[in-house]
Amino acid sequence: MFDLLVLGGGIAGMTAAATTVRGGGSAMVVEKGPLLGGSGQYAGYIWTAPDHDVMDRVNPGGDLGLKRALVDDFDDVVEWIGSLGVSCGERVPVIGYGRGHRFDTAHYVDGCRQVVGANGVIVTEASARRLLLDDGAVRGAEIGLADGSVRIVEAKATLLATGGFQADAELRAQYLHEQARDVELRSNPFSSGDGLRLALEAGAAIGSEGAGFYGHLIPSGVALEPELFVDITLYYSEHAALFNLAGERFVDETAADHLTAMALLEQPEARGLLVTDARGYREWITGAYVEGADSLDKFALARSRGARCVVADSVSDFAEMPAEWGYDGPKIAEELGRLARGESARPGRESDPRALDEPPYYVVEARPAVTFPFTGVRIDPQARVLAADGAPIPGLLAAGADIGGLYERSYAGGLAPAIVFGRRAAAGSLVN
């Protein structure tokens, strides 16, 4: 019997397994894909809100206990990363309101793997078929292995860390939005809701279906491959204007690109025209999204990949937009003209109210891509899965993108909560 059975070998799962073994316990990791790391392998920064006040301001609807745990444990998490021989960069601003550190996620996962090897087991291309339930308590799981055989694994505690349900089109449509069925996936392809299904079978409560998701805007017409997850993302939308098919702005783009992606998903056909001026091109399209990150010309990259892109010499050019694009060009010209003249905008542009008054204009048709959902299994601050009545389900834990309740149509980091609640789950497994 293991102290902890971990379902999912991403950042949260490997953190929990390594913490358990470091603490003197035993762990088994079951990963559905051929490699460890999950979607976290595509990230490069660990960050969150610097204090409770900022967290409450940017994420007012999130569960208070989970928010507090995330902020309170952040410095310990950075120290934990260093203890694995993985260096973190200097503290830098992230998305305006966050603070964090650049680090090598592949190195981190490998560090966890080495620790787990001391008193644990890791299997890949395997997944849980069902949880072992004993009078309402979870005692392990039935695991389907790559060769088709089945293994019954008993454990004092079982952690759901399968990475969310973003790879399942029907679950996206059910919990995110009907149009989410057809959006691009900006994550690994193995996170298809296994943790959610297992939790529901055990009687777990699920967080709000309207909580949203973490994702970003990408150019339409571009095949989204892992090597492009960062390079092709249109982070600069915070310094641009976004128009729907009716030629209307519908969101404060300057709040954050990931919030704009959520808003665009709910617009007709989930597509829009992203427009910025020459200054936006110089300072943001070709600039680094986070201090210390690499810079590249995202407009040129999108164009080279076949995206719908154009450079407009003036505001009036938008009135002559090709009909096959499907946008109300005259309306866009009218609205953009107001922004170029510095007139009051509705919705407002709080974080970057400058006039878009320096032609030419760089235009990219954008659509949302999903990285992971905010809807998921409800947990308490100790990462214990909660039943519908609010009581913990004995022996069942959750962390990473499988959890819900932390964020409510807002975001303050993905790697940080994965490690925070992965470590808290491990602490609970060592107590049981």
Side-chain angles (χ1 to χ4, degrees), residues 186 216-220 222 228-240 242 253 256-258 260-261 264 272-275 284-285 289 297-303 307-309 363-368:
R186 191 177 175 270
H216 284 288
L217 297 180
I218 61 170
S220 64
V222 176
L228 294 178
F229 283 175
V230 173
D231 290 353
I232 207 70
T233 297
L234 305 175
Y235 301 111
Y236 71 85
S237 71
E238 298 169 14
H239 307 278
L242 183 64
E253 307 92 340
D257 181 74
H258 58 274
T260 300
L264 183 57
L273 283 190
L274 189 65
V275 183
W284 299 104
I285 291 182
Y289 179 54
D297 188 331
K298 290 182 176 292
F299 184 84
L301 177 60
R303 175 177 273 179
R308 181 174 275 178
C309 304
V363 184
V364 178
E365 184 174 64
R367 56 198 170 102

Side-chain angles (χ1 to χ4, degrees), residues 5-7 28-31 123-132 140-154 158 198:
L5 171 61
V6 179
L7 305 180
M28 179 176 181
V29 178
V30 177
E31 166 55 35
V123 294
T124 57
E125 298 183 276
S127 58
R129 295 185 174 185
R130 64 181 179 89
L131 296 176
L132 305 181
E142 179 185 291
I143 307 299
L145 302 175
D147 62 2
S149 64
V150 174
R151 177 177 175 180
I152 299 298
V153 180
E154 296 184 342
T158 300
L198 292 169

Side-chain angles (χ1 to χ4, degrees), residues 19 77 197 414:
T19 303
V77 160
R197 294 186 184 94

Side-chain angles (χ1 to χ4, degrees), residues 63 146 148 167 268 276-277 324 328 339 348 394 398:
D63 179 272
T276 193
D277 63 357
E324 60 267 24
D328 187 333
L339 296 179

